[in-house]
């Protein structure tokens, strides 16, 4: 069975017919060709598929596309402005937090969800925000450092406006 959905993804409005059992992750990757959101476990356990749904971080592999009907979705492709990276992306690069690369889009989106509501998070709040993201390589210290740096960049930008 299929259903018509209207969704705004990265600021662009779409109206699409989707199978009711299709996940939001597969919809983004297959129907919209937004492959920056990664499929890791496909089971809600790793965080690779994290996107923002109406500003909240969600695992898109365990959500149906039809659940995003009338919602706004932000994916990693919507973070930069053309060639200009988002300060969170810059901080990840400068802190050496881009490790295997597969997990990075989800970590960046989790950081965005956190910093949007908590511009000055403590280290424990940062660790809590990324607790659902599995990293099997060098660990989380660089990622925590990157999110702290991103908070500084965003707060400095705020002050200069
Ligand atoms: S792919 Fe969605 S949580 Fe792992
Ligand atoms: S960042 Fe992907 S396994 Fe560590």
């Amino acid at each position: 069975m299929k259903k018509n959905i209207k969704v705004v993804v990265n600021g662009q409005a779409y109206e699409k017919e989707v199978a009711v059992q299709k996940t939001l992750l597969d919809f983004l990757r297959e129907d919209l060709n937004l492959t920056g959101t990664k499929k890791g476990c496909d089971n809600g356990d790793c965080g690779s598929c994290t996107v923002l749904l109406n500003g909240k971080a969600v695992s898109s592999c365990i959500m149906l596309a039809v659940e995003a009907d009338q919602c706004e979705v932000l994916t990693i492709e919507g973070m930069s402005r053309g060639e200009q990276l988002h300060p969170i992306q810059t901080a990840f690069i400068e802190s050496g937090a881009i490790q295997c690369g597969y997990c990075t889009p989800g970590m960046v989106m989790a950081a965005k969800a956190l910093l949007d509501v908590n511009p000055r998070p403590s280290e424990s709040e940062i660790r809590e925000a990324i607790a659902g993201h599995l990293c099997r390589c060098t660990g989380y210290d660089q990622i925590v450092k990157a999110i702290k740096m991103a908070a500084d960049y965003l707060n400095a930008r705020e002050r200069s406006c």
Side-chain angles (χ1 to χ4, degrees):
M1 196 170 105
K2 293 196 166 189
K3 193 180 165 208
N4 209 51
I5 62 167
K6 286 183 186 169
V7 60
V8 175
V9 181
N10 302 333
Q12 190 175 332
Y14 296 90
E15 186 165 357
K16 295 259 182 195
E17 196 174 63
V18 287
V20 291
Q21 73 274 19
K22 187 164 216 168
T23 64
L24 177 59
L25 175 60
D26 286 343
F27 172 71
L28 293 169
R29 292 180 55 86
E30 295 168 7
D31 297 36
L32 304 188
N33 201 27
L34 294 170
T35 54
T37 305
K38 301 296 185 237
K39 187 182 278 198
C41 64
D42 208 15
N43 201 30
D45 290 328
C46 76
S48 300
C49 65
T50 301
V51 298
L52 302 198
L53 184 84
N54 291 344
K56 291 219 168 76
V58 296
S59 295
S60 59
C61 72
I62 51 169
M63 265 200 73
L64 296 174
V66 292
E67 293 179 89
D69 187 25
Q70 309 293 336
C71 294
E72 286 198 26
V73 178
L74 183 71
T75 73
I76 191 70
E77 288 90 346
M79 291 291 284
S80 57
R81 297 256 173 279
E83 299 277 292
Q84 197 188 338
L85 293 179
H86 188 282
I88 296 173
Q89 293 172 302
T90 305
F92 267 69
I93 293 168
E94 290 179 354
S95 308
I98 296 182
Q99 296 166 167
C100 80
Y102 207 77
C103 316
T104 303
M107 298 274 194
V108 168
M109 300 317 291
K112 166 112 175 97
L114 171 67
L115 297 176
D116 280 351
V117 295
N118 182 358
R120 288 179 182 77
S122 64
E123 177 160 343
S124 63
E125 287 170 329
I126 293 173
R127 288 190 183 271
E128 193 182 325
I130 59 169
H133 295 253
L134 286 188
C135 166
R136 295 183 187 80
C137 55
T138 56
Y140 298 92
D141 287 351
Q142 297 310 106
I143 294 161
V144 172
K145 192 173 149 202
I147 297 174
K148 276 190 201 148
M149 185 187 280
D152 290 344
Y153 285 166
L154 289 164
N155 291 327
R157 190 169 77 172
E158 194 84 346
R159 281 197 298 275
S160 70
C161 291

